[in-house]
Amino acid sequence: MAFTVQSRIEELLAERGWSTYRMAQTCGLSQSAISNILKRGTCPSVPTLLTICRGLGITIAEFFEPLLGKGDLTPEEDTLLQNWRTLPPDKKAALFPALIKLLDACRM
């Protein structure tokens, strides 16, 4: 299947088990805005796409990753990133400092 903004949003929603309602609530967008993007094929503006990415807890680069490829990630790195992406933003914020501390300790 060819990459479209709509198909990528649907993929990210499916990964998280989110409904369009949850996405609208999390991103702070109206359900009609989400519906226009997904059902009518309306292309979101850059600010709207950035809002969607923030709500999904990803960067714009991660959104377009299927177009760019995964680079030189090992299978372990890819698994780690896939799991990280499914965490809600509050869990990422809580986990990140502890993860960095653990990684620093492992380097010693």
Side-chain angles (χ1 to χ4, degrees):
M1 174 171 29
F3 180 94
T4 65
V5 169
Q6 293 80 10
S7 65
R8 181 64 172 145
I9 292 171
E10 289 171 348
E11 174 188 351
L12 292 165
L13 290 176
E15 283 177 7
R16 289 161 177 73
W18 285 13
S19 65
T20 55
Y21 174 78
R22 179 164 181 197
M23 180 181 157
Q25 295 291 40
T26 303
C27 295
L29 297 170
S30 69
Q31 278 193 275
S32 63
I34 303 300
S35 182
N36 284 336
I37 294 167
L38 296 178
K39 299 201 184 324
R40 293 186 178 173
T42 304
C43 190
S45 66
V46 172
T48 299
L49 188 55
L50 288 169
T51 297
I52 290 169
C53 288
R54 273 193 302 277
L56 293 169
I58 63 171
T59 65
I60 196 81
E62 289 169 321
F63 184 87
F64 288 105
E65 183 179 73
L67 287 176
L68 305 173
K70 293 186 181 182
D72 59 353
L73 294 181
T74 66
E76 293 85 5
E77 291 167 331
D78 186 49
T79 299
L80 180 64
L81 286 175
Q82 291 301 324
N83 282 290
W84 180 260
R85 289 181 186 138
T86 61
L87 293 173
D90 62 320
K91 300 287 186 197
K92 286 180 181 178
L95 181 59
F96 190 74
L99 180 60
I100 295 302
K101 191 174 185 177
L102 177 62
L103 290 170
D104 286 342
C106 290
R107 285 192 267 276
M108 293 180 178

